[in-house]
Amino acid sequence: MEQTSVQKLARVLRVLVVVTFVCNLIALLMVPMMACTYRAMSAGEIVDWGINSLSYLFRLESTPRDYFPFSMMFFYSWLVVWTDAYTAVLTVFLWACGICTAVILWQGKRVLDTILKEEPFTLENARNLKRAAVCCFVISGAALLRLIWGFATYRSILPLLTYNALFVPIFLMAGLLCMVMSALFRQAAELKAENDLTI
């Protein structure tokens, strides 16, 4: 049976979602190291350290410059990240967002799977979109809490200029959109079930 253009697009999107999901899981493991590195170095130093470490790991250069073994830094950061309030809050926030993003991606993959099977209007898709909506609301709430923490810590309005201020309305709207889509999928699934019964 020949695939429709929607199914072809769904197949490409599914591959992209799976790749992004795997990258997300890898990034979740590296959050403490990134938080510690961010706190300890300036932006330029972080880039230099990353390039030096990666070039040594991939044997692009024979002797490392300013290289702290990657594996040591990885394990050490899981302990050190909790010694400073800023890195602890950053780590918890990034983990919350990363876990919710992984759930959203997985729910998207499940929806795309039903499109590939030519059965998109199911109650399961309504539940998948509802789970994605809850995760969007969690990200929005976590960003709001981090914004409030920034106001209390720095006693300034500067946290309004960070990505946290953008996360609040963006993920709130994404959650509302997923809720609407969930209701539409549920209604379509119920209509389809009624039509199947009448036939």
Side-chain angles (χ1 to χ4, degrees):
M1 179 165 53
E2 189 177 332
Q3 288 187 333
T4 64
S5 59
V6 172
Q7 286 178 312
K8 290 176 185 174
L9 181 61
R11 187 169 303 283
V12 172
L13 282 175
R14 186 182 182 282
V15 169
L16 293 174
V17 165
V18 169
V19 169
T20 307
F21 178 78
V22 170
C23 291
N24 188 20
L25 294 180
I26 293 168
L28 277 173
L29 292 173
M30 303 188 65
V31 163
M33 187 174 72
M34 290 185 284
C36 289
T37 305
Y38 177 76
R39 186 66 169 170
M41 301 178 188
S42 70
E45 291 172 328
I46 292 171
V47 171
D48 289 342
W49 177 82
I51 290 171
N52 290 339
S53 300
L54 289 174
S55 64
Y56 179 71
L57 284 174
F58 294 115
R59 304 289 185 236
L60 298 176
E61 77 179 50
S62 56
T63 57
R65 295 170 299 164
D66 305 325
Y67 173 72
F68 187 67
F70 185 80
S71 58
M72 293 292 287
M73 181 71 173
F74 177 79
F75 293 114
Y76 179 69
S77 65
W78 281 74
L79 300 173
V80 174
V81 75
W82 308 111
T83 60
D84 179 42
Y86 178 82
T87 56
V89 168
L90 181 62
T91 300
V92 170
F93 172 73
L94 292 175
W95 271 342
C97 291
I99 290 168
C100 287
T101 304
V103 172
I104 291 167
L105 289 167
W106 192 254
Q107 300 310 313
K109 179 200 156 302
R110 293 175 72 177
V111 170
L112 291 169
D113 287 342
T114 61
I115 291 171
L116 290 172
K117 288 189 233 173
E118 295 183 2
E119 299 171 359
F121 299 114
T122 62
L123 290 174
E124 185 59 33
N125 274 350
R127 287 190 285 271
N128 291 336
L129 287 166
K130 197 167 194 174
R131 286 184 204 113
V134 169
C135 288
C136 287
F137 293 142
V138 169
I139 292 173
S140 181
L144 182 62
L145 287 175
R146 187 153 182 246
L147 205 57
I148 293 168
W149 180 83
F151 291 144
T153 302
Y154 302 118
R155 303 202 190 296
S156 162
I157 62 166
L158 287 178
L160 282 176
L161 303 175
T162 64
Y163 62 90
N164 295 311
L166 287 174
F167 273 22
V168 176
I170 288 172
F171 281 96
L172 183 66
M173 287 188 297
L176 292 172
L177 180 65
C178 285
M179 290 295 281
V180 169
M181 295 297 291
S182 172
L184 288 173
F185 271 81
R186 187 182 318 105
Q187 190 173 10
E190 289 168 358
L191 287 172
K192 184 177 177 289
E194 283 179 20
N195 286 341
D196 290 345
L197 287 175
T198 55
I199 293 171

